[in-house]
Structures are given as structure tokens and as C-alpha cells.
């Protein structure tokens, strides 16, 4: 049996991108899956490729609906052993041009939604004495980058919360893992919010030149099997991945590098 053959894994944002890549990889490893996202039809298409997968479509920001959804999943599966909070939305707008409502949306989707779903699933893991929480935070959760003030804020919050949660729940046999992907060729840049909350809708972002979601999934599964708490995901040697080391080793240089990029995107 593979490292994940006995797992019941709940993946949000599973209809495309990294979420879909993870679903296919975990299915191939023999895991039982619960797939969630907003697009029920797209989820059904992924589920058709994952034998025995359950589908729970919902809007991530509908926090009031989550308790009933989580209870339904727990009852149907007998208990989730791994929760992968992967659903998210990005941003492409300067702080000076960004409506406050956009910041609220980014925080709701990228921070409060995974926090709330974890709150609902975690007690069952603690009661069973085992489980894994996996939060997709992005390099933007470690490094502040122009055009992404709200996205970076939400992802930094997710990293900080995950680190503190890891310290608390280790004693109960529950591990917490943080993914920090760099450039992965998904639709996240195309679907990013602009300053007025509209979807960007273009595909000319450097993110789209990154590794494929399937390649990302291979890296993530290997790191999870090894028990790695923080998991960088991206092309080895890529500039955005080097930022993770630069931020730790020379934060002033990292700040200067990011500042040098700002005039290129200024109004």
C-alpha cells in the first residue's frame, strides 16, 4: 500500500490547477477523496477520473454553510484524515487602486475560509489521534510582492496561523503542512481580482510559464510522505523560488529587489 492508501483526503479548489493535480495523484496512490469547489460540473469531471470520489460543491466564502457540509463529509467518510485547503484567489492591482471590498474578499477566500473549514474538521482528527492539515500559502505567504498587497496579506496570515496551529496540535498526533508554490501553470493569474473586484481575465502572467499542476502534485506528495512541514513547490533554480532563501538570508536585499519591481507596474 502507498503512503496514502489508507487516507481519506478532502481537497478544496479541486476542479482545476493544483487541486486537480493533487486529486489525480492521490487517486493513483489509492486514497479516498472528497472533492470541493464552486464548479459542480468541473468537479464531476475530476471525480470521474478518481474512483470512489465524493463531490461537495460549495462557495468557499459561505461560512455559515460549512458546518453542515463538514458534518455531512465526516458522516459519509467516517472521518477525514487529511484536509487540503487549496481553494484561493489572487490579485493584480496596486494598493492605491484597490477597493477595500477587494481586500475583504481576498481575506475571506484565502484566510478565513480555510481557517473555518479546519476548525470544523480538526476536532475529529484530534479525537482519532491522527490527521494532517495542508494549507496552500504560495511564495506570496513569505515574500511581499507588488500588485498583490491583499493576496500577500491573506497568505502571510495563513502561514502564521498554520505555524502556530502546528505547535498546538502536534501533541494530538496532527501535523500541519504549508505549501509555498512559486510559478505553477494554473488559472490563478487569469482569475485574479483587479482593484475594482473584476476578474483580470488575461493569460500573459509569468505564473503561466511555471511547472504543470501534475509536476506540482508529484513534489507535494513526496514532501508529505516525508513529513515535511513547509513545502516549496516549483522549478528548481527558478527566480521566484530563490526568494524564499533570500528572504531568510538577506531580508534587506529581498525588500530592495521587490521595491525595484514596483516602478515597472506603477500607474
Amino acid at each position: 500500500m502507498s503512503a496514502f492508501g489508507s487516507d481519506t483526503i478532502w481537497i478544496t479548489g479541486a476542479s482545476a490547477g493544483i487541486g486537480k493535480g493533487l486529486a489525480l495523484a492521490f487517486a493513483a496512490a489509492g486514497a479516498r477523496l472528497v472533492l470541493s469547489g464552486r464548479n459542480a460540473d468541473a468537479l464531476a469531471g475530476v471525480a470521474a477520473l478518481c474512483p470512489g470520489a465524493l463531490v461537495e460543491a460549495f462557495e468557499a466564502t459561505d461560512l455559515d454553510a460549512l458546518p453542515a457540509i463538514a458534518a455531512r463529509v465526516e458522516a459519509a467518510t467516517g472521518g477525514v484524515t487529511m484536509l487540503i485547503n487549496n481553494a484561493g484567489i489572487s490579485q493584480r492591482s496596486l494598493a492605491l487602486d484597490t477597493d477595500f471590498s477587494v481586500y475583504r474578499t481576498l481575506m475571506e477566500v484565502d484566510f478565513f475560509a480555510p481557517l473555518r473549514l479546519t476548525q470544523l474538521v480538526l476536532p475529529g482528527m484530534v479525537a482519532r489521534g491522527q490527521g494532517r492539515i495542508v494549507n496552500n500559502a504560495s511564495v506570496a505567504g513569505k515574500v511581499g510582492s507588488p500588485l498583490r498587497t491583499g493576496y500577500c496579506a491573506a497568505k502571510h496570515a495563513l502561514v502564521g496561523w498554520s505555524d502556530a496551529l502546528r505547535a498546538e496540535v502536534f501533541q494530538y498526533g496532527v501535523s500541519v503542512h504549508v505549501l509555498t508554490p512559486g510559478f505553477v501553470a494554473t488559472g490563478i493569474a487569469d482569475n485574479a481580482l483587479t482593484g475594482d473586484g473584476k476578474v483580470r481575465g488575461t493569460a500573459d502572467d509569468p505564473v503561466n510559464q511555471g511547472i504543470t499542476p501534475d509536476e506540482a502534485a508529484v513534489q507535494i506528495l513526496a514532501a508529505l510522505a516525508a513529513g515535511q512541514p513547509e513545502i516549496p513547490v516549483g522549478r528548481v533554480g527558478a527566480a521566484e523560488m530563490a526568494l524564499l532563501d533570500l528572504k531568510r538570508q538577506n531580508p534587506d536585499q529581498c525588500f530592495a529587489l521587490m521595491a525595484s519591481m514596483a516602478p515597472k507596474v506603477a500607474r
Side-chain angles (χ1 to χ4, degrees):
M1 182 180 293
S2 78
F4 308 104
S6 61
D7 274 306
T8 297
I9 303 174
W10 191 357
I11 305 172
T12 68
S15 61
I18 292 176
K20 179 180 178 180
L22 287 172
L24 298 178
F26 279 121
R32 183 182 186 187
L33 301 178
V34 180
L35 307 178
S36 289
R38 291 184 299 172
N39 190 326
D41 290 340
L43 286 173
V46 177
L49 303 174
C50 304
L54 304 178
V55 171
E56 276 288 347
F58 62 87
E59 172 58 58
T61 55
D62 189 2
L63 303 184
D64 291 339
L66 289 183
I69 293 169
R72 192 159 58 239
V73 168
E74 288 282 315
T77 64
V80 173
T81 62
M82 186 188 306
L83 172 64
I84 302 180
N85 288 307
N86 171 72
I89 190 168
S90 192
Q91 172 197 11
R92 296 295 185 274
S93 61
L94 295 169
L96 289 168
D97 300 330
T98 303
D99 293 342
F100 182 67
S101 61
V102 174
Y103 284 113
R104 280 198 176 276
T105 297
L106 290 162
M107 291 299 295
E108 289 287 343
V109 175
D110 292 338
F111 179 59
F112 287 115
L115 184 156
R116 182 59 179 139
L117 190 55
T118 299
Q119 279 189 315
L120 295 166
V121 173
L122 183 60
M125 292 181 174
V126 170
R128 292 185 292 271
Q130 63 177 351
R132 283 184 273 200
I133 304 294
V134 183
N135 293 324
N136 191 350
S138 164
V139 169
K142 309 291 282 189
V143 177
S145 177
L147 295 177
R148 299 164 177 82
T149 50
Y151 184 62
C152 288
K155 293 299 189 177
H156 273 69
L158 187 63
V159 170
W161 173 68
S162 299
D163 288 349
L165 182 66
R166 181 186 301 113
E168 290 186 9
V169 301
F170 176 79
Q171 62 186 310
Y172 305 119
V174 178
S175 60
V176 178
H177 308 264
V178 172
L179 310 180
T180 56
F183 292 171
V184 181
T186 69
I188 191 167
D190 309 348
N191 295 317
L193 300 182
T194 58
D196 60 2
K198 294 178 181 176
V199 174
R200 182 168 179 260
T202 57
D204 60 350
D205 197 284
V207 170
N208 294 322
Q209 305 304 313
I211 63 173
T212 68
D214 291 339
E215 290 173 319
V218 169
Q219 294 182 18
I220 293 166
L221 264 68
L224 288 173
Q228 194 171 325
E230 190 164 288
I231 303 171
V233 181
R235 186 171 290 120
V236 175
E240 78 279 4
M241 303 309 295
L243 289 173
L244 295 171
D245 289 330
L246 183 61
K247 177 67 180 295
R248 285 191 294 266
Q249 298 166 1
N250 193 335
D252 287 349
Q253 185 179 348
C254 184
F255 299 150
L257 176 61
M258 292 297 100
S260 73
M261 296 170 58
K264 299 174 184 178
V265 297
R267 292 182 296 177

